[in-house]
Amino acid sequence: MGTFVAITGGFESENEQGEVTEIEGGGIGAGTANVSTEVMRYQPLLEKYAQKHGLDASYVPIMMALMMQESGGRGSDPMQSSESYCDGVVGCIKSPELSIDKGVKHFKDVLEKAKHDLKLCLQSYNFGGGFINFAMKHGGKYTPELAIEFSQIQYQKVKHTGNYHCVRPEMIPYGACYGDAVRP
């Protein structure tokens, strides 16, 4: 497939990141990611739930990188899957194993809905499945520009709640503060 994916835990500085392990993607493409020991300890559960949900094991390294991006492997919801599992409610999952079970299921569902477009899948995992519909109406595939535009639109809908802020400071000038939009 030839896709190159490199996701790192960008929310931490190198000094705060602690010990990391470089992992390599499997049969789905080439790439590496640095993941923490906290993420590495969840590899067996990711493999278990990939098998349970019928997802090829070659996606496990990608999901480990995704977990690194979402939480660094910390907390009771390391896959940050509460919103997909609890109809938009943040923090409803209190068990790392439940988080991984539901996160792997959500990843597979989004991957299939994205027609196995891995970049579209990864952005949609963060934004929600609505991004896939948006992308399909605007060219049919992921682009950084579409991610920024979607983030801007969604942020306008939710900024009044005070629950959203720019994860990436470089997105502030764009008003792309919904989810984790890519760097332009």
Side-chain angles (χ1 to χ4, degrees), residues 154-172:
Q154 295 305 110
Y155 183 61
Q156 289 305 310
K157 294 177 182 177
V158 299
K159 72 179 181 178
H160 71 279
T161 67
N163 294 330
Y164 292 84
H165 64 283
C166 274
V167 174
R168 298 185 184 275
E170 65 270 24
M171 291 293 113
I172 293 171

Side-chain angles (χ1 to χ4, degrees), residues 4-135:
F4 180 81
V5 178
I7 303 174
T8 60
F11 58 90
E12 299 174 298
S13 75
E14 287 183 33
N15 295 336
E16 295 172 336
Q17 198 167 4
E19 186 176 332
V20 295
T21 302
E22 187 172 278
I23 59 171
E24 294 186 20
I28 58 165
T32 61
N34 292 326
V35 299
S36 65
T37 54
E38 289 89 351
V39 170
M40 287 300 298
R41 72 182 166 146
Y42 289 123
Q43 184 175 355
L45 282 176
L46 287 162
E47 291 168 349
K48 172 185 173 180
Y49 287 104
Q51 182 176 11
K52 173 186 173 184
H53 294 295
L55 184 64
D56 190 284
S58 65
Y59 286 101
V60 169
I62 295 293
M63 290 187 293
M64 290 171 69
L66 178 63
M67 182 188 292
M68 184 69 197
Q69 178 70 18
E70 292 289 331
S71 72
R74 293 183 298 270
S76 59
D77 187 6
M79 292 290 290
Q80 299 291 290
S81 45
S82 286
E83 290 177 273
S84 63
Y85 178 58
C86 302
D87 296 323
V89 176
V90 176
C92 72
I93 292 179
K94 305 294 184 205
S95 158
E97 187 162 356
L98 181 61
S99 174
I100 291 167
D101 181 13
K102 300 309 173 186
V104 170
K105 182 181 184 321
H106 179 60
F107 178 88
K108 181 185 179 206
D109 292 346
V110 172
L111 182 66
E112 289 174 351
K113 188 174 178 187
K115 300 178 182 167
H116 289 81
D117 177 333
L118 190 56
K119 290 180 182 179
L120 183 56
C121 168
L122 290 169
Q123 189 66 64
S124 297
Y125 186 96
N126 180 265
F127 279 161
F131 181 65
I132 295 171
N133 298 332
F134 184 79

